[in-house]
Amino acid sequence: MSRDWLADDRADLAAERILDAAARLFAEHGVTAVGMADIAKAAGCSRATLYRYFENRQAVRVAFVHRETRRIAAQLFGAVGEIADPGERVVAAMLGAVRAVRADPMLIAWFRAGEAGPAGRISQDSEVIESIAAALFTSTELTEAERGRLARWLTRIIVSLLSSPGRDEDEERTMLEEFVVPLVVRAFA
């Protein structure tokens, strides 16, 4: 029996189209207001097709967050990869992540008033987000468990800055330098 050699590409393309449609809806209506029927209609597919790719609304949300996290992380690692000082690297990465989310209407929609709950839950339960955040720290002084806890804590701070911003980026930088960097540096001591 011959297998369709394009099947995987078609499935990936279909899932991407669904996530793109969901992203537009999240930006327009808010994350919590968007249901599976809305996503199917916006993607131009049936609900049955949507459920073939995503089990439920939470699965769509998680897939979207993971896709966007990977995209932002690739940009950030290029920008901060050469920074040797762990404190400077973490501040640059955190502010870069905050800037990238704020600049994208489809992402900042997750942090509007009343919308941060799903983002916060996903960020704390996601092994993808944890592993990407932990990759900022390649030090052998930290165990994998310690790096994971540090990554989850830093992710909570990023979610907090997005949900409840400082007065401006200078204030956010100062807070990170005063309160986060000493703990990160101590972890590497």
Side-chain angles (χ1 to χ4, degrees), residues 19-20 22-24 26 54 59-69 106-107 110:
L19 292 177
D20 290 343
R24 289 188 301 274
F26 295 154
F54 300 99
V60 174
R61 290 174 179 172
V62 168
F64 174 77
V65 169
H66 285 175
R67 178 181 79 170
E68 296 306 308
T69 299
M106 293 181 209
L107 297 178
W110 286 74

Side-chain angles (χ1 to χ4, degrees), residues 154-185:
L154 294 174
T155 302
R156 279 189 172 109
I157 294 169
I158 291 170
V159 169
S160 174
L161 289 172
L162 290 165
S163 301
S164 182
R167 291 183 183 111
D168 56 31
E169 187 173 317
D170 288 338
E171 181 186 64
E172 291 173 346
R173 174 180 295 282
T174 300
M175 287 189 290
L176 293 175
E177 289 171 349
E178 287 181 8
F179 303 112
V180 173
V181 169
L183 296 172
V184 169
V185 169

Side-chain angles (χ1 to χ4, degrees), residues 9-27 34-65 67-68 106 110:
D9 290 338
R10 286 187 191 117
D12 289 346
L13 181 60
E16 289 299 312
R17 283 185 63 183
I18 290 167
L19 292 177
D20 290 343
R24 289 188 301 274
L25 291 171
F26 295 154
V34 175
M36 293 296 271
D38 303 319
I39 295 169
K41 183 178 179 182
C45 67
S46 69
R47 286 180 63 175
T49 298
L50 175 60
Y51 281 106
R52 195 172 322 139
Y53 294 97
F54 300 99
E55 178 182 349
N56 53 38
R57 182 167 59 165
Q58 183 65 7
V60 174
R61 290 174 179 172
V62 168
F64 174 77
V65 169
R67 178 181 79 170
E68 296 306 308
M106 293 181 209
W110 286 74

Side-chain angles (χ1 to χ4, degrees), residues 68-108:
E68 296 306 308
T69 299
R70 286 183 184 102
R71 181 182 61 78
I72 289 171
Q75 294 169 355
L76 288 177
F77 286 149
V80 304
E82 299 300 316
I83 300 174
D85 179 81
E88 288 178 35
R89 185 172 55 245
V90 75
V91 168
M94 292 176 78
L95 290 175
V98 167
R99 237 182 269 114
V101 171
R102 287 179 179 157
D104 188 330
M106 293 181 209
L107 297 178
I108 196 60

